[in-house]
Amino acid sequence: MTDSNDLPPDRLSVHPFSEFFDQDALARGIGIRFKGERRTTVEEYCISEGWIKVSAGKSRDRHGRPMQLMLKGPVEAWYEDLGDDAPVAKA
């Protein structure tokens, strides 16, 4: 049986200014698989809506934050601190 604390949130951002920022979840380490491929450059994700956001090179918006690209597809997330048999959150 999977405990709800064993699954990462449905939506998470690495940016402190975002309402979806969660320092405790990020401190545990989040693994992301997008379209079956493990991704390490994800800045924000949403499992239920099926998208990730990644940095668009060195481009910046008017606030000086990195520009982001939204990529759509199946997203899976897990806590890396639970090891290789960690439960995976997916849509």
Side-chain angles (χ1 to χ4, degrees), residues 16-72:
F17 55 82
S18 172
E19 65 181 280
F20 299 104
F21 177 77
D22 183 349
Q23 180 61 42
D24 295 333
L26 292 170
R28 293 184 67 181
I30 304 286
I32 300 290
R33 192 170 14 258
F34 178 70
K35 292 185 177 179
E37 182 180 325
R38 183 165 170 127
R39 301 290 298 253
T40 58
T41 60
V42 175
E43 295 186 4
E44 187 172 347
Y45 71 83
C46 183
I47 297 168
S48 62
E49 295 178 13
W51 55 261
I52 62 171
K53 288 185 180 180
V54 295
S55 180
K58 296 184 181 203
S59 301
R60 301 280 176 178
D61 69 8
R62 65 179 181 225
H63 302 290
R65 301 175 191 148
M67 296 286 284
Q68 296 179 332
L69 296 173
M70 179 185 278
L71 306 174
K72 295 187 178 225

